[in-house]
Amino acid sequence: MEKLFYDLLDKYGYQNWWPLTGKFDPFEEVCIGAVLTQNTSWKNVEKAIENLIKANLTSFERILQTDDKTLANAIRPSGFYNQKAKTLKRLAKFLLSVEKENIKREDLLSIKGIGKETADTILLYGLNKMIFVVDAYTKRLLHRLGFIDSPKIEYDTLRILIESAVPRDINVYKEFHALIVKHCKEVCKKNPDCKKCFLSNRCYNYTYG
DNA sequence: AGCCAGGCCAAGC
DNA sequence: GCTTGGCATGGC
């Protein structure tokens, strides 16, 4: 697992996540992006974020001042916009009510619309907590490479497995997740481009042609 | 023109 | 407990 991280790093270089526009407070932008990207391509999230900027909705405070319909309309390109608008408001309300150093994973998970991946994204990229972010890409890649038996592995089981298998370094956690996303978006897609994959010689999933 | 995307929740077995 | 359906747009 550690070797996989270094191989991906050699191949793609540092990703320097989380992607930010600079038009928001960095912590708030991580939180907003984390919600908007739920089961949604980052391209669509970028459109939604541009709309938020145009609509002057670039802070939790402004988001809370805005009615659900206006907010939902702005984030429309990210899909599931009615749910996400409500989730953003619930999240913004909570986060404005606590000090950052007191934010706990269980608090985030108690917010409707915030699940494990979104909570962990906020903790890792927003708050520099030592928590690895598992996503569908992670399960797919590690399954294909034979690190796990099934892509249906339980979220926290895989998270803990990875956390204990790579160096306990915040930047390793951040980069490893970002590199997995990079590799899976470009190569290890649902229909994988095994021909152009530098890992195919050690991949259980390798499909010829 | 389908299929897919950096999930999550509630309901059904 | 595990599976399924709903939520929705836009890119490739």
Side-chain angles (χ1 to χ4, degrees):
Chain A
M1 188 87 79
E2 182 172 349
K3 174 166 168 38
L4 174 62
F5 165 68
Y6 287 110
D7 288 343
L8 288 168
L9 185 57
D10 285 343
K11 176 72 180 175
Y12 298 112
Y14 287 95
Q15 303 299 302
N16 297 310
W17 269 26
W18 184 268
L20 297 172
T21 65
K23 301 286 178 64
F24 299 72
D25 166 80
F27 172 66
E28 295 192 0
E29 190 165 357
V30 170
C31 296
I32 291 164
V35 170
L36 294 182
T37 198
Q38 290 170 353
N39 202 44
T40 301
S41 68
W42 187 255
K43 280 262 190 274
N44 283 9
V45 174
E46 286 177 330
K47 293 177 183 302
I49 289 176
E50 275 309 307
N51 287 347
L52 289 175
I53 293 168
K54 283 185 204 152
N56 191 27
L57 296 174
T58 53
S59 69
F60 287 160
E61 234 175 277
R62 290 285 299 118
I63 283 171
L64 283 175
Q65 289 165 356
T66 306
D67 62 282
D68 287 11
K69 287 229 177 114
T70 304
L71 180 58
N73 190 52
I75 64 172
R76 173 179 271 274
S78 74
F80 310 121
Y81 49 83
N82 289 312
Q83 315 192 121
K84 285 176 181 175
K86 289 179 184 164
T87 299
L88 280 178
K89 283 196 168 187
R90 287 187 288 257
L91 180 61
K93 185 177 178 185
F94 167 71
L95 291 174
L96 287 176
S97 76
V98 289
E99 298 300 320
K100 280 188 194 173
E101 55 268 28
N102 295 330
I103 297 170
K104 304 293 294 178
R105 188 177 196 243
E106 61 192 82
D107 298 331
L108 294 172
L109 291 177
S110 72
I111 299 167
K112 185 178 171 187
I114 305 296
K116 289 175 180 176
E117 181 183 341
T118 308
D120 291 345
T121 297
I122 292 169
L123 292 168
L124 178 63
Y125 292 103
L127 296 169
N128 290 308
K129 302 280 190 186
M130 294 293 298
I131 299 197
F132 188 82
V133 177
V134 171
D135 62 359
Y137 287 153
T138 310
K139 293 182 178 179
R140 184 164 80 206
L141 179 64
L142 295 187
H143 177 239
R144 286 177 174 171
L145 288 173
F147 286 98
I148 55 179
D149 294 334
S150 164
K152 295 178 184 175
I153 184 170
E154 205 278 322
Y155 181 98
D156 285 309
T157 305
L158 181 54
R159 176 176 63 80
I160 290 163
L161 173 69
I162 296 170
E163 287 174 357
S164 57
V166 301
R168 192 167 176 72
D169 176 326
I170 191 85
N171 291 312
V172 171
Y173 284 22
K174 288 182 180 181
E175 282 298 327
F176 194 23
H177 174 71
L179 287 162
I180 289 170
V181 172
K182 170 89 172 169
H183 180 65
C184 289
K185 272 208 267 206
E186 296 182 0
V187 181
C188 198
K189 299 177 281 193
K190 190 156 228 174
N191 257 314
D193 274 338
C194 300
K195 282 170 295 186
K196 65 179 194 184
C197 182
F198 76 110
L199 297 169
S200 59
N201 61 338
R202 38 177 159 132
C203 186
Y204 165 78
N205 181 72
Y206 186 38
T207 51
Y208 291 81

